[in-house]
Amino acid sequence: MEKYSEIKKVNYEGPKSKNPFAFKFYNPDEVIEGKTMREHLKFALSYWHTINYSGTDMFGGDTEDKTFGEKDPLTMYKKKADFAFELMEKLSIDYYCFHDVDICPVGNSVEEYLHNFEVMVDYLKEKQEKTGKKLLWDTANNFGDKVFMAGAATSPNADVYALSALKVKACIDADIKLGGTGYVFWGGREGYDTLVNTDMALELDNLGKFMKMARDYARSKGYKGDFLIEPKPKEPTKHQYDFDAATAVNFLRTNDLLGDFKLNIEANHATLAGHTFQHELRVARINGAFGSIDANQGDPMLGWDTDQFPTNVYDTTMAMYEVIKEGGFKNGGLNFDAKTRRQSNTLEDILLAYIAGMDAFALGLRLAYKLIKDGRIDEFVKNRYSSYTSGIGKKIVDGETNFEELAAYARGLKDIKVESGRQEYLESVLNEVMFGE
Ligand code: XLS
Ligand code: CA
Ligand code: CA
């Protein structure tokens, strides 16, 4: 990766270009419906995958070198930061996201960790000021170290709970210093492998209290951003407490955290939970909890979190459809929680992967607007529910009826006809919009 400063800026050349190092659909400053594409899409680089991941898998070691030829830990992490900001510049990415331990060496004690973290946060702040790049969100890695083997805020050990709070507090302080707009709680190891050793009620209660304390601390320091829960059904634990969007929303409601907390929806986690990406976005939206997106895709044949760069345009179109219906991103954005494959082990592959993912979402944005302008699908759905716009249906929606009235009404009904759902036709409309002129 040492040669990264020689890489050229990636420009938009349009769909006819055959230049692999050019955008075909992402034209950062093109205005679509009153906003530039970079404002619509709010792309972010994920530090852990792009700056640190070195191709390792369960069966073999590194296939990439991300040490930048440095032995001294702090100097190495500064070079990593230089690489991150250079890549963002070359790719026209305005935001980035990190875990605490992605940006600094952990050292040999809590004190050393805190010191290194602070040094690197100051370094990132300088780089932000020079380049105009921004922090989208940060998060504490409270799952990697062996002390977190049984969880962090759901650990059976109260000392681990306290250490987890220290790390989240450090990240909130960093978030405030760097002007970030999100703090993400991804479960990590907040879940269980077996109930024979687990007090589920206590763990969930402790987790709720932890999040409240995080919120109260951050707000008392003037933090204005969102807190985000990132649902995932399994991996690393057999059962993660934030299983999916519906489970996370229920947890937030139970703990009275909705409002301060929203959801960070990851495509790969949605499919692991047996849902589509769009389903998870819709659940977040209808509960007023749409926050941010971790853009990637899984492999439908594999039951684990492959974190691939997103290239499936049906998925990006329907995801952007949900984003547009939500009124766009506010504090959130599109973070590429995605890594190049173990065999795609060059600097060029990192660029090509981001280009592929950014173009897939740019195409998704363009096609989602086309779908909305075409109007046939929205119109169909609207008409499908038209029985709720007058008469007894309107009374149901307005909450102005009861079982006696409904039963009396139903007694007089003859030949109820439910209209066709027209699924095949609507799917062909989607294809027409996506591939027609
Ligand atoms: C792991 C998660 C993780 C979060 C941040 O599966 O995707 O990377 O996004 O901790
Ligand atoms: Ca993620
Ligand atoms: Ca993931």
Side-chain angles (χ1 to χ4, degrees):
M1 300 297 145
E2 273 115 296
K3 293 247 163 67
Y4 68 83
S5 55
E6 287 167 25
I7 55 180
K8 298 209 174 56
K9 185 150 175 95
V10 176
N11 293 311
Y12 171 73
E13 291 184 6
K16 294 214 168 76
S17 168
K18 295 281 182 283
N19 174 3
F21 295 99
F23 293 119
K24 318 298 182 300
F25 305 102
Y26 178 53
N27 188 8
D29 298 316
E30 181 181 331
V31 175
I32 295 181
E33 300 288 324
K35 275 202 286 188
T36 61
M37 290 188 90
R38 68 199 308 158
E39 287 166 339
H40 274 291
L41 293 162
K42 293 186 68 183
F43 288 132
L45 169 143
S46 71
Y47 226 91
W48 53 105
H49 286 314
T50 308
I51 311 305
N52 292 330
Y53 174 68
S54 51
T56 318
D57 72 8
M58 304 273 275
F59 302 92
D62 296 354
T63 60
E64 297 166 54
D65 180 2
K66 291 195 175 148
T67 62
F68 300 90
E70 277 301 332
K71 293 258 173 324
D72 173 61
L74 262 177
T75 317
M76 187 201 295
Y77 277 87
K78 286 185 180 163
K79 289 211 168 162
K80 282 174 182 276
D82 296 344
F83 175 50
F85 279 75
E86 188 79 29
L87 266 183
M88 284 190 269
E89 186 51 37
K90 296 288 163 61
L91 284 163
S92 301
I93 292 178
D94 297 328
Y95 298 87
Y96 67 107
C97 302
F98 64 77
H99 300 83
D100 52 352
V101 304
D102 297 336
I103 63 159
C104 72
V106 286
N108 295 311
S109 64
V110 174
E111 286 308 319
E112 249 184 80
Y113 151 78
L114 286 172
H115 169 77
N116 290 347
F117 187 57
E118 218 174 302
V119 170
M120 284 308 301
V121 167
D122 287 341
Y123 191 72
L124 292 175
K125 190 169 157 63
E126 263 173 49
K127 301 218 65 111
Q128 285 189 188
E129 278 159 8
K130 273 194 208 126
T131 59
K133 303 292 172 199
K134 299 183 196 105
L135 176 68
L136 188 67
W137 54 257
D138 70 353
T139 182
N141 178 329
N142 285 355
F143 47 88
D145 191 275
K146 67 177 188 299
V147 296
F148 300 117
M149 72 177 189
T154 64
S155 173
N157 183 315
D159 290 351
V160 176
Y161 190 99
L163 178 66
S164 307
L166 172 141
K167 293 186 79 208
V168 173
K169 179 178 170 295
C171 285
I172 290 170
D173 293 341
D175 212 339
I176 293 171
K177 199 178 230 182
L178 296 171
T181 51
Y183 177 85
V184 165
F185 281 100
W186 166 61
R189 293 178 198 273
E190 313 294 30
Y192 65 85
D193 291 329
T194 171
L195 286 175
V196 295
N197 64 14
T198 303
D199 185 340
M200 190 198 270
L202 178 67
E203 291 197 1
L204 281 168
D205 198 44
N206 284 350
L207 183 59
K209 292 197 166 79
F210 191 91
M211 289 185 179
K212 279 187 199 159
M213 287 190 276
R215 188 257 331 259
D216 293 346
Y217 171 73
R219 297 296 184 224
S220 78
K221 297 286 166 191
Y223 174 65
K224 299 255 168 4
D226 291 333
F227 285 94
L228 298 152
I229 287 192
E230 181 182 322
K232 184 174 185 182
K234 56 187 168 191
E235 200 196 2
T237 65
K238 177 183 166 182
H239 180 99
Q240 301 272 127
Y241 288 135
D242 304 322
F243 190 93
D244 60 1
T247 311
V249 164
N250 178 55
F251 177 84
L252 292 177
R253 212 167 261 137
T254 305
N255 287 284
D256 203 16
L257 287 166
L258 270 176
D260 291 300
F261 277 68
K262 298 193 162 59
L263 301 185
N264 182 37
I265 301 296
E266 177 175 319
N268 201 162
H269 297 180
T271 45
L272 285 176
H275 301 307
T276 61
F277 184 20
Q278 188 186 6
H279 169 95
E280 289 294 83
L281 292 169
R282 181 71 63 90
V283 171
R285 236 158 53 63
I286 63 177
N287 284 287
F290 172 84
S292 202
I293 288 181
D294 267 9
N296 63 13
Q297 69 187 25
D299 185 317
M301 305 293 151
L302 302 176
W304 64 89
D305 197 11
T306 57
D307 284 343
Q308 288 161 235
F309 272 85
T311 51
N312 182 320
V313 178
Y314 283 101
D315 286 347
T316 59
T317 300
M318 297 323 284
M320 289 315 296
Y321 173 89
E322 296 298 324
V323 174
I324 294 167
K325 291 283 177 183
E326 173 70 19
F329 289 111
K330 293 175 186 81
N331 287 333
L334 276 166
N335 167 47
F336 284 103
D337 192 353
K339 58 180 183 238
T340 50
R341 301 300 83 198
R342 176 171 164 81
Q343 297 179 58
S344 304
N345 60 344
T346 68
L347 176 57
E348 284 77 22
D349 287 303
I350 295 179
L351 290 172
L352 294 169
Y354 269 96
I355 292 168
M358 292 165 78
D359 264 345
F361 266 95
L363 202 46
L365 173 72
R366 293 176 190 276
L367 292 171
Y369 268 119
K370 212 172 154 203
L371 191 63
I372 291 166
K373 280 216 180 106
D374 174 87
R376 277 177 287 174
I377 288 184
D378 282 347
E379 189 62 21
F380 182 89
V381 175
K382 191 170 158 224
N383 288 337
R384 192 167 186 227
Y385 295 88
S386 59
S387 67
Y388 288 96
T389 56
S390 61
I392 194 73
K394 186 160 189 317
K395 281 187 158 185
I396 294 170
V397 169
D398 294 343
E400 280 169 4
T401 187
N402 53 45
F403 260 32
E404 282 93 345
E405 187 183 27
L406 286 168
Y409 172 86
R411 284 184 95 136
L413 294 174
K414 280 194 281 303
D415 300 329
I416 300 175
K417 188 165 178 287
V418 181
E419 300 291 339
S420 163
R422 295 267 191 273
Q423 180 173 337
E424 299 79 0
Y425 161 70
L426 293 167
E427 286 171 351
S428 78
V429 167
L430 185 58
N431 280 347
E432 272 174 50
V433 170
M434 287 178 66
F435 303 105
E437 279 310 302

